């Protein structure tokens, strides 16, 4: 696989030879930030269009068809409309917290997005405690949601924020333990090393039954953490009008909308990285010809292909199952997923200690 660190190191060395190193690092950070914002926007447009088409398929409809060929321009038009919407100023709200909440949700999404390795040497943040940093950064988002509900001075927003906070904090346990199960298998929390450890086989196949159980639990918990159906009770339109972002308009609402779809992609990307090999091609021991052919496919193609496959699975879940009640959501987590995750983690430890994995 091509190592993109060759290009990034060459760019860094070229810049430091022309300008002071501090200024070079600053310029690199600005360029990387702009690239992340652009990728963020492009992925959001793709995911919104994909959601509408998949939703239409499951409901025997066509989805967007009028604006552009196959409705491809519908989402860009919606983005332009959102940018031109009036931002309504509300009375009796905590102005500072009300305006801060959408930015906290977006910042949490950006930080976790920067941890994803899209290719060999193609990651922004590659810490030796990358998994820990991702879990910590992603938990900031719930603070923004709680602030949005509290500062809006609206009982529906507050109820939606409390539901969302309880749900996200609860399901972070199962999500974290599922990831920790795979960390036990690979022996590192650095995402680049986790991917490279899957060169001779993806963990979904190498990790025996505990890896499969962890993958299923992670998909359920990840869906709940992003407040998507059937776990979209915090935004229950029939009860709470729009949940914690009821009082937001214009790009204030747009930030929450963007973060929801990018969090969906982040959940899918982490699953693709930890369970499905990330940018690593499909290698089968003994089939050298197949492995050589697979190596010709670029790493980013593998990464985004796997990520969008998991996105499709999550959308399939959303448009198949009905919305759950809040007591059912919390019972599923605390009575079923947490005990299963704990037992599964112990089982993976035993497999690693006794070297029963492939």
């Amino acid at each position: 696989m091509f190592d993109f660190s060759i290009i990034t190191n060459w760019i860094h060395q070229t810049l430091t030879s022309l300008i002071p190193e501090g200024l070079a690092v600053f310029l690199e950070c600005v360029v990387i930030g702009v690239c992340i914002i652009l990728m963020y926007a492009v992925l959001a447009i793709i995911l919104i269009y994909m959601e509408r088409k998949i939703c239409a398929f499951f409901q025997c409809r066509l989805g967007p068809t009028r604006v552009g060929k196959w409705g491809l321009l519908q989402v860009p038009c919606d983005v332009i409309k959102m940018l031109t919407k009036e931002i309504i100023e509300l009375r009796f709200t905590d102005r500072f917290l009300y305006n801060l909440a959408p930015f906290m949700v977006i910042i949490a999404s950006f930080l976790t997005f920067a941890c994803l390795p899209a290719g060999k040497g193609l990651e922004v943040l590659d810490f030796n405690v990358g998994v820990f940093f991702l879990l910590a950064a992603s938990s900031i988002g719930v603070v923004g949601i709680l602030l949005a509900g509290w500062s809006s001075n609206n009982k529906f927003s507050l109820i939606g924020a409390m539901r969302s906070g309880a749900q996200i904090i609860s399901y972070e346990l199962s999500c974290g333990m599922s990831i920790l199960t795979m960390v036990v298998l690979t022996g590192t929390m650095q995402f680049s090393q986790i991917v490279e450890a899957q060169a001779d086989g993806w963990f979904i196949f190498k990790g025996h039954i505990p890896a499969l159980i962890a993958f299923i639990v992670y998909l359920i918990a990840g869906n709940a953490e992003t407040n998507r159906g059937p776990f979209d009770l915090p935004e229950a339109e029939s009860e709470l009008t729009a949940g914690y972002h009821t009082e937001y308009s214009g790009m204030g609402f747009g930030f929450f909308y963007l973060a929801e779809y990018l969090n969906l992609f982040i959940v899918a990307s982490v699953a693709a990285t930890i369970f499905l090999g990330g940018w690593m091609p499909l290698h089968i021991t003994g089939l050298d010809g197949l492995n050589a052919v697979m190596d010709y496919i670029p790493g980013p193609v593998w990464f985004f292909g796997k990520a969008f496959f998991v996105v499709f699975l999550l959308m399939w879940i959303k448009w198949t199952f009905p919305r759950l009640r809040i007591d059912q959501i919390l019972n599923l987590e605390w009575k079923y997923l947490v005990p299963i995750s704990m037992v599964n983690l112990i089982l993976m430890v035993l497999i690693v200690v006794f070297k029963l994995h492939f």
Side-chain angles (χ1 to χ4, degrees), residues 19-327:
I19 57 178
E21 186 173 1
L23 180 58
V25 172
F26 174 75
L27 289 176
E28 289 168 2
C29 291
V30 171
V31 171
I32 289 170
V34 171
C35 290
I36 290 177
I37 291 172
L38 290 175
M39 187 176 292
Y40 199 94
V42 170
L43 284 173
I45 290 172
I46 293 172
L47 288 168
I48 293 171
Y49 180 80
M50 182 178 173
E51 172 94 280
R52 290 175 174 178
K53 283 296 185 181
I54 290 176
C55 165
F57 173 76
F58 279 103
Q59 295 176 354
C60 298
R61 297 186 291 105
L62 296 177
T65 57
R66 294 180 180 272
V67 186
K69 191 170 181 61
W70 304 305
L72 288 170
L73 297 179
Q74 181 66 60
V75 179
C77 290
D78 290 341
V79 171
I80 294 171
K81 182 190 75 170
M82 186 74 70
L83 290 171
T84 56
K85 283 278 189 179
E86 179 186 1
I87 298 177
I88 300 171
E89 296 289 339
L90 302 173
R91 293 190 298 170
F92 310 117
T93 61
D94 189 320
R95 289 284 180 85
F96 176 72
L97 297 181
Y98 176 84
N99 293 319
L100 176 65
F103 289 97
M104 291 199 67
V105 173
I106 284 288
I107 288 170
S109 183
F110 264 92
L111 287 174
T112 50
F113 187 71
C115 295
L116 303 175
K120 188 174 183 179
L122 196 61
E123 61 270 334
V124 179
L125 301 174
D126 189 27
F127 301 140
N128 59 347
V129 288
V131 171
F132 178 78
F133 177 82
L134 182 136
L135 292 174
S138 63
S139 63
I140 299 173
V142 70
V143 179
I145 290 173
L146 291 173
L147 287 180
W150 169 259
S151 63
S152 294
N153 193 29
N154 181 313
K155 60 185 178 183
F156 298 114
S157 298
L158 181 59
I159 293 171
M162 292 174 65
R163 283 181 175 181
S164 184
Q167 178 175 310
I168 292 174
I169 292 170
S170 297
Y171 277 87
E172 275 183 353
L173 286 173
S174 314
C175 199
M177 281 194 285
S178 298
I179 295 175
L180 188 59
T181 302
M182 307 314 295
V183 169
V184 169
L185 177 60
T186 190
T188 180
M189 287 195 289
Q190 189 168 349
F191 279 110
S192 59
Q193 293 183 8
I194 291 174
V195 174
E196 288 171 1
Q198 302 178 69
D200 57 342
W202 302 343
F203 284 154
I204 193 71
F205 306 123
K206 290 171 57 178
H208 288 294
I209 295 176
L212 184 60
I213 294 173
F215 181 65
I216 294 171
V217 171
Y218 178 82
L219 288 183
I220 297 171
N223 227 13
E225 276 211 77
T226 53
N227 287 335
R228 292 178 55 80
F231 304 98
D232 57 342
L233 199 65
E235 302 173 19
E237 296 87 355
S238 57
E239 306 164 34
L240 305 175
T241 61
Y244 54 85
H245 49 62
T246 298
E247 298 293 352
Y248 283 88
S249 58
M251 280 311 296
F253 170 77
F255 281 168
F256 286 110
Y257 195 62
L258 277 175
E260 177 182 327
Y261 278 98
L262 262 295
N263 288 338
L264 168 66
F265 181 78
I266 289 165
V267 167
S269 299
V270 173
T273 300
I274 293 178
F275 296 97
L276 303 177
W279 47 261
M280 190 64 68
L282 176 63
H283 287 166
I284 301 176
T285 305
L287 299 179
D288 296 334
L290 175 65
N291 298 341
V293 172
M294 293 298 176
D295 286 339
Y296 283 110
I297 302 175
V301 174
W302 281 105
F303 173 78
F304 285 105
K306 295 171 186 176
F308 278 107
F309 168 73
V310 180
V311 166
F312 172 74
L313 291 181
L314 295 175
M315 289 182 178
W316 190 349
I317 292 171
K318 174 176 180 176
W319 296 108
T320 302
F321 296 99
R323 180 181 292 149
L324 300 175
R325 297 197 312 266
I326 186 66
D327 60 316

